[in-house]
Amino acid sequence: MIAELGHYALVLAFMVSLVQSSVPLIGAQRGDAVMMDLARPASIAMFLLVGTSFGALTYSYVVSDFSVINVAQNSHTDKPMLYKISGVWGNHEGSLLLWITILVTYSVAVAFFGRNLPPALRARTLAVQGMITGGFLLFILLTSNPFLRLDPAPIDGNGLNPLLQDPGLAFHPPMLYLGYVGFSMAFSFAVAALIEGKVDAAWARWVRPWTLLAWTFLTLGIALGSWWAYYELGWGGWWYWDPVENASFMPWLAGTALLHSAVVVEKRDALKSWTILLAILTFGLSLLGTFLVRSGIITSVHAFASDPTRGMFILLLMGVSLGGALLLYALRAPDLKGGGLFAPISREGSLLLNNLLMATATATVLLGTLYPVFADALNLGKVTVGPPFFNAVFVPLMIPLVIAMGFGPMLSWKRGDLAGALSRLKAAAGAALLAFGLAWVLAGGALDDVLAAFGFGLAVWLLVATLVELAERVKLFKAPLAESGRRFARLPRAAFGMTLAHLGMAFIVAGVTAASAYKQESVQVMVAGQTITVAGYEFTFQGAERVEGPNYSAVKGHFGVTKDGEPIAQLDPEKREYTSPPMPTTEAAIHTNGWADLYAVVGDPNEDGPGFVTRIYFEPLVPFLWYGSGLMALGGFVSLTDRRHRVGAPTRRKVAAATAGAKPASA
């Protein structure tokens, strides 16, 4: 009965989406306040209905109702409760329902927190959001019903994919979807603005918080996925340019460009047409990611489904939504006037450079991801585009971007003084040269070490330049310390958010450089008592034993790690064999000191004699990747608390003036 209730709620939600996507739109065109106001209760109704459906599916997992096919295929009685719940979105149907749940959550958030939006813009935005929701509801009802019954019901289910039975993967999809789906709000605002024919600074202020929220969650989602791949797959890497990894990275790149271009629209009333296009394409890339994961055209550990019928439906949904938005853009964009002019050397110019580099990087990743698909479809043979291509093309684009991130915030709006900005960044340039020289000398001074040393110099440049920019804002060492403290306390939170995000990028550049250039690994067969040395650390294999887990059996290896005779760590990796469903997994053992990781993996027994296959890695500065990602996400959340990002919130000054000018009720 619970499953039928969940299915019925989805049907009702689809009917409500038809109302939400049409009546407010007609009302906005006619100027009918009653019809426009229907968007809010419709959003609330859809949120309640879809929430009921998601709750029904979650309940079915919690109680192990194996009469529901989805539960029987993706859960098991013996699973821990965390993985029973995460099993809800550990499959195509459940993850699609999670997508829709987040979609209606964003809609109802706009309905509640966007009360001060112009009524027509709010009605049109929620109507477009209703159209998107209706399309996905139709998709799940026609091709991916999560509430289908199974008769007779099995005693136990098949169990969740063992790779997904991990805390990192329990939270990774919700974070990722909060990012993916969040960009639908920027899309809806963009389409509503095109219908209305008006894009101005106020529109940019309204769209920025939703874009920033989506970008922050997507940053966390990508970081969680990378962290999971690093410690769960046992290959010692954190990024492989997998097509599904790229599918999440592309909207992040486009969303980053969108955030910066929206600043130009808000501050200078420029780049309006470009910002609208970015909003459309960013969500289009989110839809593309959904297509890649669910269509079966690629093979990946991250893929959810391999049903071409579902892929065609998503392709049709992409064609209607993205094609319709681009057609509207082609018709209306010429009417969007450019606004204020600016010199190439200016804050606007630096943000435009950011956009050009981000857009080019996105196009590069898109080409490398889709080219093998097109080559296969056109019978051009099997083509593999892997890390060598992406590293060779993507990295050079990031170098000028990171350099520009250092001096861009030092430039003035409209017309900047590049010489003045660079003079204030002498400390950053000096620190970068010093870091380059030290890294090169310490690495041995060989020609091959120049690029790695340059990467460290780049990271230090951005780190120090970001701190210098913050010091300039508060006039540190140029005014009394008390005044600098007051200026620091009065800084907008968005300024702190930018500082944190840029510092995070500096950490990531350092982590990527070290992990790429100085990682050391050793793969061999080891017997008990054997010792190998990696990066100055002695790893002694103490043997392996068979252990039993709650739903798996494992070979557990033991390594003692010492350096110069001093004990450092005890590493106990496992090679597991799950029974429900049958699948081997690798559980790496990692010891970190905050600067570098010692990473050990035990594999299969040696077929030609005693011992086990082992892999040992020294991972320098890999923790900086997680520090950097965390700082970037923290910067996003801090920026969201800025008063200027609260849609429609009046300033204190205006509130005070209105209060002072109001007459007493008794007058």
Side-chain angles (χ1 to χ4, degrees):
M1 183 63 186
I2 297 295
E4 284 69 31
L5 175 65
H7 186 206
Y8 185 56
L10 285 180
V11 175
L12 288 180
F14 175 70
M15 302 305 293
V16 174
S17 73
L18 296 179
V19 176
Q20 180 179 329
S21 61
S22 57
V23 175
L25 206 58
I26 297 170
Q29 187 66 28
R30 294 179 177 177
D32 188 323
V34 175
M35 296 178 73
M36 287 191 288
D37 288 344
L38 188 63
R40 187 170 181 269
S43 297
I44 296 171
M46 265 214 295
F47 173 75
L48 294 175
L49 288 168
V50 174
T52 298
S53 181
F54 187 79
L57 185 60
T58 303
Y59 175 82
S60 299
Y61 269 85
V62 169
V63 301
S64 297
D65 183 1
F66 298 127
S67 68
V68 177
I69 294 178
N70 187 264
V71 179
Q73 291 177 342
N74 300 284
S75 190
H76 192 276
T77 309
D78 295 334
K79 274 202 315 181
M81 183 56 67
L82 173 62
Y83 302 131
K84 285 187 177 183
I85 295 174
S86 63
V88 174
W89 52 79
N91 58 89
H92 165 70
E93 293 82 3
S95 65
L96 186 59
L97 184 55
L98 175 65
W99 174 289
I100 298 170
T101 303
I102 295 174
L103 196 59
V104 297
T105 301
Y106 273 104
S107 295
V108 81
V110 171
F112 275 106
F113 298 111
R115 292 187 178 185
N116 289 335
L117 286 168
L121 178 64
R122 182 179 65 230
R124 290 186 172 110
T125 300
L126 290 176
V128 175
Q129 197 75 358
M131 293 178 191
I132 299 170
T133 307
F136 275 96
L137 284 168
L138 193 62
F139 177 31
I140 197 170
L141 287 170
L142 295 182
T143 71
S144 311
N145 183 3
F147 297 105
L148 293 176
R149 289 289 191 178
L150 180 62
D151 187 25
I155 298 175
D156 275 320
N158 293 337
L160 181 66
N161 184 334
L163 288 175
L164 305 181
Q165 295 185 40
D166 180 86
L169 258 290
F171 299 103
H172 165 64
M175 289 291 181
L176 207 61
Y177 288 3
L178 283 165
Y180 270 154
V181 181
F183 286 126
S184 68
M185 287 313 313
F187 175 87
S188 297
F189 269 106
V191 173
L194 288 174
I195 295 173
E196 201 167 81
K198 182 181 178 182
V199 179
D200 55 14
W203 176 87
R205 281 195 299 273
W206 291 320
V207 77
R208 275 184 68 199
W210 304 104
T211 305
L212 183 58
L213 184 65
W215 178 88
T216 303
F217 278 123
L218 188 56
T219 301
L220 284 174
I222 293 173
L224 276 173
S226 181
W227 180 53
W228 167 81
Y230 174 66
Y231 71 78
E232 178 67 23
L233 299 184
W235 59 300
W238 45 271
W239 191 263
Y240 193 68
W241 296 105
D242 179 278
V244 181
E245 291 175 338
N246 295 346
S248 63
F249 192 43
M250 288 186 289
W252 186 90
L253 290 170
T256 305
L258 174 59
L259 275 176
H260 290 82
S261 65
V263 174
V264 181
V265 177
E266 180 182 350
K267 300 291 186 181
R268 297 287 301 141
D269 199 33
L271 302 184
K272 292 189 287 190
S273 179
W274 169 246
T275 302
I276 290 288
L277 180 60
L278 271 179
I280 294 171
L281 294 180
T282 300
F283 183 60
L285 289 169
S286 296
L287 292 178
L288 176 64
T290 304
F291 171 71
L292 291 175
V293 171
R294 302 173 192 276
S295 62
I297 65 171
I298 60 170
T299 301
S300 168
V301 68
H302 305 86
F304 270 121
S306 57
D307 186 345
T309 304
R310 293 169 176 171
M312 289 303 298
F313 197 104
I314 299 174
L315 206 57
L316 177 63
L317 188 60
M318 284 178 59
V320 172
S321 57
L322 195 58
L326 290 175
L327 177 61
L328 183 61
Y329 174 80
L331 296 173
R332 291 297 182 92
D335 297 330
L336 300 177
K337 296 182 179 180
L341 299 176
F342 55 88
I345 304 299
S346 63
R347 181 76 67 88
E348 299 96 319
S350 69
L351 292 173
L352 179 59
L353 176 62
N354 162 287
N355 270 226
L356 291 175
L357 292 170
M358 282 289 185
T360 305
T362 305
T364 298
V365 178
L366 180 65
L367 175 64
T369 303
L370 294 186
Y371 180 74
V373 177
F374 290 140
D376 188 36
L378 297 174
N379 293 320
L380 299 178
K382 293 289 184 181
V383 178
T384 300
V385 177
F389 166 80
F390 290 106
N391 293 335
V393 180
F394 183 84
V395 173
L397 291 171
M398 292 298 101
I399 292 173
L401 178 68
V402 174
I403 294 173
M405 286 174 67
F407 68 76
M410 305 292 289
L411 299 174
S412 302
W413 292 102
K414 192 174 182 179
R415 183 180 298 277
D417 179 9
L418 182 60
L422 291 178
S423 69
R424 296 195 297 275
L425 290 172
K426 290 179 180 177
L433 287 173
L434 180 61
F436 170 83
L438 283 175
W440 189 37
V441 170
L442 292 175
L447 187 61
D448 293 342
D449 299 320
V450 170
L451 288 179
F454 180 77
F456 282 117
L458 205 60
V460 171
W461 155 261
L462 180 56
L463 178 74
V464 179
T466 301
L467 294 176
V468 168
E469 192 272 338
L470 180 63
E472 288 283 330
R473 282 178 177 266
V474 301
K475 295 189 179 298
L476 188 64
F477 307 128
K478 296 181 179 180
L481 194 58
E483 181 183 341
S484 295
R486 286 192 295 271
R487 285 176 174 271
F488 185 84
R490 291 198 299 265
L491 275 181
R493 291 178 186 173
F496 286 116
M498 181 196 74
T499 299
L500 289 170
H502 284 195
L503 289 175
M505 178 57 73
F507 274 80
I508 288 175
V509 171
V512 169
T513 300
S516 303
Y518 303 129
K519 173 181 176 178
Q520 296 186 36
E521 61 181 286
S522 178
V523 181
Q524 61 281 307
V525 174
M526 297 181 72
V527 296
Q530 184 177 349
T531 299
I532 64 165
T533 301
V534 177
Y537 292 89
E538 297 89 23
F539 291 78
T540 300
F541 184 54
Q542 300 166 338
E545 59 180 325
R546 181 160 293 278
V547 297
E548 295 297 325
N551 58 343
Y552 64 85
S553 61
V555 171
K556 187 172 186 176
H558 303 284
F559 293 86
V561 185
T562 60
K563 186 172 185 179
D564 298 328
E566 295 294 326
I568 300 295
Q570 177 69 34
L571 300 179
D572 302 311
E574 295 182 5
K575 178 67 179 292
R576 294 179 178 177
E577 286 285 347
Y578 282 81
T579 55
S580 298
M583 179 180 288
T585 67
T586 300
E587 303 294 322
I590 302 172
H591 170 78
T592 183
N593 60 8
W595 291 86
D597 290 348
L598 303 178
Y599 188 110
V601 176
V602 65
D604 296 320
N606 181 24
E607 294 181 356
D608 300 326
F612 291 82
V613 176
T614 63
R615 297 195 298 277
I616 308 296
Y617 300 91
F618 172 70
E619 303 275 4
L621 294 193
V622 163
F624 277 43
L625 299 172
W626 324 131
Y627 302 155
S629 301
L631 280 173
M632 294 178 77
L634 179 61
F637 284 124
V638 169
S639 293
L640 281 168
T641 65
D642 193 309
R643 186 172 180 80
R644 294 174 300 174
H645 286 165
R646 300 176 198 170
V647 177
T651 63
R652 289 185 175 90
R653 187 176 301 171
K654 290 181 179 179
V655 172
T659 304
K663 293 182 178 180
S666 59

